[in-house]
Amino acid sequence: MDLRYPIGKLQAPEQMQDADRHKAIANIAEAPKQFRAAVAGLHDAQLDTPYREGGWTVRQVIHHVADSHMNAYVRTRLALTEQEPTIKPYDEKLWAELEDARSAPLESSHALLDALHERWVRLLRATRPADFSRTFRHPEHGLRTVDWMLGVYDWHGRHHVAHIKALRERHGWT
C-alpha cells in the first residue's frame, strides 16, 4: 500500500448525482467523529509521530484538516454567493510547520471541526441541486464546481483518517 494514499488518489468528479452528494455530505458530517476516534487514547509521543517517513505528525494532520476544511467552507460560501470567484490558495506545508500546528493540543481543532462541520453540513444540505454546479476559479486547478469541492473534501477527511488508522495498525497502537 502507498502510505501517502491509503484510500487511493483523489478522483473528484466535476458533477455528482443526488445520491453521491448525499453520501459525500454524510461522510463530511461524520468526519469530526472519525478524527476523534482515530486519535482516541494516543499520548503526546504518538501524536508527534509522522504517519509516514517524511510526512506530517498525527498532530499536524489534525490541525491541517481544520485549516483545510475552514478554507473549503469559505470557498463553498464564496462559490454560492459570487459569480465565479477566484479563491486564494495557501501553502498547506508551510501552515503545517507553524507553531500551533506542530504543538497545540488537538482539542482546539476537534472543537473547531465540530462547529465548522455542523455549519458546513447544514449549508450543503440546504443547497439546491442546481447550485452544486456553481463555479469558482482556483489558481492551481482552474475552473471548478461546488460538486468537485464536495468530492475533494469527502475524500480528504477519509484520506487523513486512514493515515492515522494505518499508523496505529503498523505500530500496534490499539
Side-chain angles (χ1 to χ4, degrees):
M1 169 178 42
D2 185 340
L3 297 180
R4 293 173 302 167
Y5 302 104
I7 63 168
K9 288 187 177 183
L10 171 65
Q11 295 179 357
E14 280 300 320
Q15 301 297 318
M16 289 187 181
Q17 300 302 314
D18 284 343
D20 296 324
R21 270 186 214 114
H22 291 299
K23 183 176 180 183
I25 293 168
N27 287 339
I28 289 171
E30 288 297 310
K33 280 193 256 179
Q34 296 295 319
F35 281 105
R36 284 183 188 275
V39 299
L42 294 181
H43 55 71
D44 279 340
Q46 292 167 322
L47 294 174
D48 293 329
T49 301
Y51 72 88
R52 67 174 175 84
E53 188 172 327
W56 291 330
T57 67
V58 173
R59 184 183 312 276
Q60 286 172 302
V61 167
I62 297 296
H63 294 313
H64 157 73
V65 171
D67 292 341
S68 178
H69 291 203
M70 280 189 294
N71 276 282
Y73 174 66
V74 169
R75 291 169 179 178
T76 301
R77 294 178 68 81
L78 289 170
L80 292 173
T81 61
E82 297 181 15
Q83 188 62 38
E84 200 175 291
T86 298
I87 58 94
K88 183 174 181 342
Y90 66 100
D91 189 329
E92 64 184 29
K93 291 178 179 115
L94 291 177
W95 283 37
E97 291 303 322
L98 292 171
E99 191 282 331
D100 63 324
R102 287 184 296 104
S103 65
L106 296 188
E107 186 52 37
S108 60
S109 283
H110 284 316
L112 194 154
L113 286 168
D114 289 341
L116 176 65
H117 280 238
E118 181 181 329
R119 289 279 308 274
W120 194 14
V121 167
R122 178 181 288 269
L123 174 64
L124 291 169
R125 287 182 175 152
T127 298
R128 295 175 305 170
D131 287 338
F132 283 95
S133 295
R134 290 187 60 93
T135 58
F136 64 96
R137 186 162 302 281
H138 191 297
E140 296 165 4
H141 299 289
L143 194 63
R144 297 297 180 183
T145 64
V146 174
D147 263 341
W148 176 83
M149 192 164 22
L150 179 61
V152 167
Y153 286 92
D154 168 20
W155 174 86
H156 189 255
R158 293 181 297 108
H159 166 74
H160 284 304
V161 166
H163 281 148
I164 297 165
K165 287 182 173 181
L167 175 68
R168 288 184 81 134
E169 188 174 306
R170 287 193 311 276
H171 286 276
W173 299 340
T174 56

